[in-house]
Amino acid sequence: MTERNDDAWDGAAPRRASPILLGVLVLAALAVLLSLGTWQLQRLAEKEALIARVAERINAAPEALPARADWPALQADQIEFRRVEFEATFRHDDEVHVFITLGAPKGPIGGQGYFVVTPADLADGTVVFVNRGFVPLAAKDPATRAGGQVEGPQQITGLIRPPEPGTWVTPAADVTRNVWFSRDPAAMAAARAIPADRVAPFTVDQERAALPGGLPQGGETLVSFPNSHLQYAVTWYGLAAALVAVYASFLFNGRRRRG
């Protein structure tokens, strides 16, 4: 009969995790979960403030454009979605076509097409790129919508939009075919040989205007701010509560076994 080797047997017994080490790990995980939940609540407050600010701006009475002397100090959050009104004359020959898929149009036409962004001359020599609205792919050529190419000074009302220089995933503009993928007034001005110091560092989304033929279809500014921060906060706090419950159960069962 083989003798039992108690020393070998004792050495093979599984080791239990140190209660102190386990407690430290639980506290660290709990701190992370609580901080993530608190951060989501902070983001919720910021998002709600943004939504309220934008709602107030888009429904306010129109104001004048920012003065040229103030352009260098303009901040995006100060000017975005501000409603403005001014008189200017469109340079239709220099219009820029920004590709977009309009999934939820406010007007009757949507789908793939272009925003028609046209430089407009003010009386003081300032040039503002105005997003006149949406046209479908078949109406890219201005000749197909000649009625909407209004001449002479126009009263323009719309919302200020900060520049969109694009990111590393944004396709480069095809200047030859006049197909763009972001609205950067500085780049558009360079492509149209407009002096940079005369061009406003923002664009204006024009509100819907009565045009012969209905194109471009104005008033298509997307004002949407997904707000799921409360759900995220509840999720993180729920996970924190679950962690505490599991750890408390572990301690209780361990104490009962020892008893």
Side-chain angles (χ1 to χ4, degrees):
M1 179 179 296
T2 304
E3 292 186 4
R4 173 179 170 182
N5 188 332
D6 290 337
D7 293 340
W9 181 272
D10 292 342
R15 294 183 178 181
R16 293 185 178 180
S18 167
I20 296 177
L21 176 60
L22 185 59
V24 170
L25 293 176
V26 169
L27 286 175
L30 183 63
V32 171
L33 293 172
L34 291 176
S35 64
L36 287 171
T38 301
W39 177 68
Q40 287 296 338
L41 289 180
Q42 293 171 347
R43 294 286 295 121
L44 173 65
E46 294 170 359
K47 184 63 68 68
E48 289 178 340
L50 171 64
I51 293 172
R53 182 171 70 246
V54 170
E56 180 182 2
R57 289 179 179 181
I58 64 177
N59 292 299
E63 56 191 60
L65 286 169
R68 187 187 299 190
D70 298 331
W71 289 356
L74 292 179
Q75 300 294 323
D77 61 346
Q78 297 174 339
I79 61 173
E80 62 180 349
F81 296 109
R82 286 197 177 277
R83 194 161 176 251
V84 293
E85 188 172 67
F86 57 99
E87 186 176 83
T89 302
F90 289 118
R91 298 187 184 190
H92 295 298
D93 291 342
D94 291 327
E95 71 178 30
V96 170
H97 306 137
V98 181
F99 179 81
I100 187 170
T101 299
L102 198 60
K106 300 180 181 68
I109 304 173
Q112 291 189 333
Y114 303 93
F115 278 146
V116 176
V117 183
T118 307
D121 291 313
L122 279 69
D124 64 356
T126 297
V127 178
V128 177
F129 276 88
V130 178
N131 174 13
R132 301 186 61 216
F134 177 80
V135 297
L137 294 175
K140 181 177 184 293
D141 185 352
T144 64
R145 45 183 168 81
Q149 303 297 83
V150 290
E151 300 293 338
Q154 305 293 319
Q155 197 70 17
I156 300 169
T157 304
L159 303 176
I160 291 182
R161 303 304 309 278
E164 301 171 356
T167 65
W168 65 274
V169 297
T170 305
D174 187 336
V175 179
T176 302
R177 294 176 53 238
N178 194 11
V179 176
W180 297 65
F181 298 92
S182 62
R183 289 179 282 176
D184 183 351
M188 293 187 291
R192 293 294 179 259
I194 302 174
D197 61 339
R198 294 176 52 198
V199 178
F202 51 80
T203 60
V204 173
D205 282 2
Q206 187 174 12
E207 296 178 1
R208 186 168 302 174
L211 295 173
L215 294 176
Q217 179 177 282
E220 293 294 346
T221 302
L222 178 62
V223 184
S224 176
F225 303 99
N227 189 5
S228 301
H229 298 294
L230 180 58
Q231 293 92 314
Y232 294 149
V234 170
T235 298
W236 291 122
Y237 285 139
L239 290 173
L243 176 63
V244 170
V246 169
Y247 184 59
S249 176
F250 168 79
L251 293 178
F252 175 77
N253 290 332
R255 185 170 299 174
R256 186 172 61 179
R257 283 194 302 268
R258 289 192 299 272

